Amino acid sequence: MSLPESPATLAADSILEDQPSEAMATRRTLGVGFWIAIGWIVLIVLAAILAPYLGLKDPDENYINRDLGRPPYPPSSEFWFGTDNDAKDVFSRTIYGARVSLVVGFAAIACGMVVGGTLGLLAGYLRGWFDRVISFVFLVLLSFPALVLAILITALLDRSLRTVAGTLGFLSIAPVGRLARATTIQFSEREFVLASRTLGAKHGRIMVRELLPNVLIPMGALALLGVAVAIVAEGALAFLGLSVEQELSWGKLILFGSGSRDLQEAPWISMGPILILFLTVLALNFAGDRVREYFDVREVSL
Amino acid sequence: MNYWLQRAGMAVLLLLAVSMLTFGAMNILGDPLFNILGPVSGAKDLQGTAQADGYALRTQGEIPSGSYTIVDDVDTLDHREAVLVATGDTLPKRADTIAGLDAVSATGTDITIIGGVVPGQLVMNGPEPSQLADVEAAEQEFYLDQPLPVRYVSWLTDFVQGDMGPQFSKTGEPPVTDLIKERLPRSLALLVMAQLMATIIAIPWSLWSAAKANQPVDRVSTVTTFLIIALPNFALGVILKYVFAIQLGWFPQTFNAGDSYLEQIYQLFLPALTIALPAAAVYQRLLRTDLITTLQEDFILMARAKGVDRRNILMKHALRPSLFSFITVFGINTGALIGGALVVENIFRVPGLGSAIVEAVLVEDFPVVLAIVMIVAFAFVLVNIAIDVIYSLIDPRVRR
């Protein structure tokens, strides 16, 4: 789960606003689009949590209907996204699939924020050999494709929800940690840190009271993007047959419908989950971008 | 000179760290001997229901009673089952044993097995005499009789000399080196095609966008890049396959290794496009902003004042200085694309490194996994050094 594009696009987006007056005006509000995106995310999260109470069809029940002939049935008012070959309702499966995808996405980033943030903050503040070791570890972690690493870990351990979320969390440590470290280095030379130190504050206090709040803002902006990356990574793992075994997830649903015959005869089996996944990732990316612009994170990008 | 030495040293250190981590994890978490030989005992076929201290056990076989030492923690699961790793006299074994729980918890480090074993994997008091030869041969071949650091060094010496060893299977055939030789060119071709396509798409697109900066056309293209980036590559692959291979029938749905090279490249078009499109979108965003910045520099004004026409300003004056961050991201992205290629190869059934690693992971064929991980890491390091070289050629200040 790498976030390699983020520093680059980060820098890119901020240079993009070349007309200062207009740029300031747009940057200072989050905009309608942001709230729509947040609304969609909230909707999906609520739907996932409340799935059993929404009166959805049972995701594992075969709704064979003699009038319609043999399944798969195309989308209709009864089956919004159609059904798969076993006459299971694709829409309700997509909503239930959201549970695993979202849990993995949010848990992974939370783990990355806590561990990566702490390590990055310590490395950036303490410098010296600790910084060198941590930076090297980050470099090693970032030095080969995250997906390969994820495949390796899930293969060596098991494929429970905990392991998959933990693996992706582990992978998000390095990108988050690097950002935290860079931000800390930048802020630790600012006047208010110097002032605090002159007043006799201990290292712990400086880190928690002075640096942490400043580091949290860019990390928070990164987190929204990171959730999207984690959801996609879980999907990719599921696609390789290496994600959570028992439960449904979006990646798995798309995989189920991606065979040549299914695509030919019943494209809706995969297109339904693709649509929801796409909209969710889009909303997360968009919201993350807006937050980043709003807080003007550009100066801490590298 | 000093800089390059340092850079190369760093790269070697990095590769060593990666290989050590991977090698260590595989050998500690996995059980090589088990993977090579399978369960070393004939007890797999035994049928029977075992009883242990009154608990009914869900087993299909029986293992001899006796004392075993628990190497790893005892993990208590539902249904009063225990997963444990125990050792016999000579042979470390992994076992998902369902044994009498009372006996397990009673002593902590020693277990007396009264009966019960999980199908397939087995705790036993050492291999049977008939299998000793197999075990010894395997131990020699894979250096399993050596301690872990020695094993690592032996593996590394072989690896550096181009011998990636035999596969972890009963026959060990084909050797990992042969497998890699067969699979690597396809993955390489796929990646090169993808990066070429991405560049070919991104450069004209960004030039066009930058020329019409902030006009409606440009805004639409920015939104388009945003949409493409939000579409995960496996979803994009499925959509492209649906549209171009199934509905339109322009491209074949899967890859056929037996066809001629030209055919193969044609078959690789869709997978390459799947990887290239999101990459192109990333490059386009980056190049567009860089171009817009460059276009505001004084020397562009100068060129414009001299009467150079728009096309030449864009192509000759603005493009080259704007390529800096593009080159960096091109390199960084190569790593991400390798990850993407794994998934895409599986959608279009391209037998490349991606499908090889997935196959190997599922049967725990660790030498293959290790070889592929090392190749990927090596490629990544190489690309990064290449970028550094290109950078220092363009801008000598970087060398300091």
Side-chain angles (χ1 to χ4, degrees), chain A residues 237-268:
Chain A
L237 275 181
F239 224 91
L240 299 174
L242 292 172
S243 186
V244 184
E245 262 174 333
Q246 268 90 36
E247 284 145 288
L248 290 171
S249 77
W250 286 337
K252 232 183 205 177
L253 287 169
I254 297 171
L255 172 68
F256 288 157
S258 71
S260 293
R261 239 195 63 212
D262 285 334
L263 276 182
Q264 195 147 18
E265 291 167 5
W268 54 83

Side-chain angles (χ1 to χ4, degrees), chain B residues 208-272:
Chain B
W208 183 63
S209 255
K212 299 190 182 296
N214 291 329
Q215 289 176 24
V217 196
D218 175 47
R219 285 180 192 266
V220 169
S221 99
T222 306
V223 172
T224 312
T225 59
F226 207 84
L227 296 181
I228 293 177
I229 290 173
L231 196 59
N233 54 13
F234 52 91
L236 182 63
V238 171
I239 292 175
L240 287 180
K241 186 174 167 186
Y242 175 65
V243 174
F244 291 106
I246 291 176
Q247 286 298 316
L248 297 173
W250 291 354
F251 296 97
Q253 294 172 20
T254 50
F255 183 83
N256 187 357
D259 291 348
S260 71
Y261 284 114
L262 217 61
E263 292 255 321
Q264 290 192 10
I265 286 179
Y266 172 59
Q267 289 162 347
L268 281 179
F269 186 87
L270 270 191

Side-chain angles (χ1 to χ4, degrees), chain A residues 4 8 12-13 15-16 139 143-145 147 151-152 155-156 232 235-236 239-240 258 260 263 267 278 281-282 286 289, chain B residues 14 18 22 226-227 230-231 234 241-242 246 253 285 288-289 293 329 332 335 339 342-343 346-347 361 366 369 376 380:
Chain A
D13 277 350
I15 305 168
L16 192 153
L139 192 67
S143 73
F144 55 85
L147 196 61
I151 290 174
L152 215 66
L156 285 172
V232 170
F239 224 91
L240 299 174
S258 71
S260 293
L263 276 182
F278 170 64
V281 172
L282 187 66
F286 187 76
D289 257 23
Chain B
L14 202 105
V18 168
T22 324
F226 207 84
L227 296 181
L231 196 59
F234 52 91
K241 186 174 167 186
Y242 175 65
I246 291 176
Q253 294 172 20
R285 287 175 73 149
R288 175 185 163 276
T289 32
T293 322
V329 171
I332 296 173
L342 301 186
V343 179
N346 275 283
I347 301 177
V361 151
F366 291 150
V369 178
V376 167
F380 197 75

Side-chain angles (χ1 to χ4, degrees), chain B residues 183-343:
Chain B
R183 301 289 186 97
L184 183 61
R186 283 183 210 132
S187 293
L188 216 57
L190 183 63
L191 266 187
V192 170
M193 271 176 80
Q195 286 281 42
L196 269 179
M197 280 159 87
T199 314
I200 290 173
I201 298 171
I203 288 184
W205 188 4
S206 55
L207 282 171
W208 183 63
S209 255
K212 299 190 182 296
N214 291 329
Q215 289 176 24
V217 196
D218 175 47
R219 285 180 192 266
V220 169
S221 99
T222 306
V223 172
T224 312
T225 59
F226 207 84
L227 296 181
I228 293 177
I229 290 173
L231 196 59
N233 54 13
F234 52 91
L236 182 63
V238 171
I239 292 175
L240 287 180
K241 186 174 167 186
Y242 175 65
V243 174
F244 291 106
I246 291 176
Q247 286 298 316
L248 297 173
W250 291 354
F251 296 97
Q253 294 172 20
T254 50
F255 183 83
N256 187 357
D259 291 348
S260 71
Y261 284 114
L262 217 61
E263 292 255 321
Q264 290 192 10
I265 286 179
Y266 172 59
Q267 289 162 347
L268 281 179
F269 186 87
L270 270 191
L273 187 66
T274 310
I275 305 172
L277 267 184
V282 171
Y283 299 159
Q284 193 272 352
R285 287 175 73 149
L286 194 77
L287 260 176
R288 175 185 163 276
T289 32
D290 280 2
L291 275 169
I292 291 176
T293 322
T294 313
L295 283 175
Q296 287 166 350
E297 302 255 352
D298 290 343
F299 70 90
I300 297 290
L301 195 66
M302 171 77 173
R304 204 173 281 168
K306 283 201 298 190
V308 183
D309 62 82
R310 277 187 80 78
R311 166 187 281 273
N312 269 325
I313 286 181
L314 271 177
M315 306 277 273
K316 293 206 173 130
H317 295 255
L319 186 57
R320 214 187 111 171
S322 308
L323 285 176
F324 271 85
S325 29
F326 172 69
I327 293 172
T328 326
V329 171
F330 190 86
I332 296 173
N333 221 22
T334 307
L337 292 194
I338 293 174
L342 301 186
V343 179

